[in-house]
């Protein structure tokens, strides 16, 4: 069933369509939250909150924007709320990235295949840069879609991506200098 059909059926009260719709986006929601927030537990919490918000507010979605853009705006807002509320904590153990939906092998390979150096470097970016990097390179959003999802001017998105790439290059310099081996 097409995403647009699922959305319309879910908005009209079809519970099965709603469940299918939420399942179809949960991995993407989790992946974005993980790379924005930087740890598994916060990403799981944020993902759950995002899916609940989508469930509650699906009737407000209008087809003016792509559904994925609307969803990513919710992900961004929830993650920003978590940034604001988060107190400095120290992780006592490293977690391997766990993907909630084991049905999509390609997503699993993509996520587990990213080097820990790149994951760590993305996590060190300022939150506004991290969000645009996640949306551009992990979610494959266009610059315009990122601007809509984050409610930023297009030139700001371009500037953030430029600066994020510069910072990532600096953060990964030692890794690049040593080569692959």
């Amino acid at each position: 069933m097409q995403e647009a059909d699922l959305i319309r059926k879910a908005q009209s009260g079809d519970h099965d369509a709603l469940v299918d719709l939420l399942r179809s986006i949960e991995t993407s929601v989790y992946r974005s939250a993980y790379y924005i927030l930087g740890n598994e537990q916060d990403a799981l919490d944020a993902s759950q909150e995002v899916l609940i918000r989508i469930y509650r507010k699906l009737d407000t979605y209008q087809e003016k924007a792509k559904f994925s853009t609307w969803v990513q705006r919710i992900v961004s807002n929830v993650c920003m709320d978590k940034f604001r509320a988060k107190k400095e904590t120290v992780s006592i153990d490293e977690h391997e990235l766990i993907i909630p939906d084991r049905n999509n092998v390609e997503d699993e390979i993509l996520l587990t295949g990213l080097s820990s150096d790149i994951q760590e470097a993305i996590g060190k970016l300022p939150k506004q840069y991290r969000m645009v990097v996640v949306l551009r390179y992990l979610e494959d959003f266009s610059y315009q879609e990122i601007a809509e999802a984050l409610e930023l001017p297009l030139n700001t998105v371009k500037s953030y991506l430029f600066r994020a790439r510069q910072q990532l290059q600096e953060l990964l310099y030692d890794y690049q200098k040593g080569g692959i081996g």
Side-chain angles (χ1 to χ4, degrees):
M1 186 179 299
Q2 294 274 346
E3 184 177 81
D5 294 333
L6 278 177
I7 293 166
R8 280 190 284 281
K9 287 183 178 189
Q11 285 177 324
S12 66
D14 184 330
H15 178 74
D16 292 334
L18 176 63
V19 170
D20 289 345
L21 181 64
L22 293 176
R23 283 190 179 145
S24 73
I25 63 171
E26 69 183 344
T27 299
S28 174
V29 166
Y30 173 80
R31 179 177 46 216
S32 294
Y34 179 82
Y35 280 100
I36 292 168
L37 297 171
N39 73 69
E40 179 185 350
Q41 192 57 51
D42 286 346
L44 289 170
D45 291 345
S47 297
Q48 182 176 8
E49 188 172 333
V50 167
L51 294 174
I52 290 169
R53 283 190 190 182
I54 290 169
Y55 166 75
R56 289 183 178 157
K57 297 187 180 274
L58 186 60
D59 60 326
T60 67
Y61 169 71
Q62 299 172 4
E63 292 184 32
K64 293 176 184 174
K66 287 176 60 175
F67 184 67
S68 58
T69 302
W70 185 76
V71 168
Q72 285 301 327
R73 183 176 300 134
I74 295 171
V75 172
S76 299
N77 289 339
V78 168
C79 290
M80 291 301 289
D81 291 347
K82 291 214 172 284
F83 274 128
R84 287 185 200 107
K86 188 173 184 170
K87 296 179 177 77
E88 281 299 312
T89 58
V90 177
S91 174
I92 57 173
D93 59 317
E94 290 290 321
H95 292 285
E96 287 297 316
L97 183 59
I98 296 173
I99 302 169
D101 181 8
R102 294 279 182 205
N103 295 329
N104 194 334
V105 176
E106 287 179 9
D107 283 343
E108 185 174 347
I109 290 169
L110 172 67
L111 288 173
T112 58
L114 289 174
S115 85
S116 60
D117 293 326
I118 295 172
Q119 289 178 16
E120 186 176 323
I122 291 171
K124 289 180 180 178
L125 291 173
K127 62 186 170 196
Q128 69 271 21
Y129 296 172
R130 193 178 325 156
M131 293 173 85
V132 294
V133 165
V134 167
L135 293 176
R136 178 70 182 130
Y137 297 109
L138 297 176
E139 296 300 327
D140 201 29
F141 273 41
S142 70
Y143 291 167
Q144 185 62 43
E145 290 170 332
I146 296 168
E148 291 172 16
L150 299 179
E151 298 177 335
L152 294 171
L154 183 59
N155 285 336
T156 301
V157 169
K158 290 177 182 179
S159 174
Y160 283 1
L161 279 169
F162 177 78
R163 291 180 186 144
R165 284 191 295 266
Q166 285 181 317
Q167 287 187 17
L168 283 171
Q169 187 173 15
E170 290 171 19
L171 290 166
L172 294 170
Y173 176 75
D174 290 334
Y175 176 76
Q176 291 171 348
K177 185 178 175 184
I180 300 173

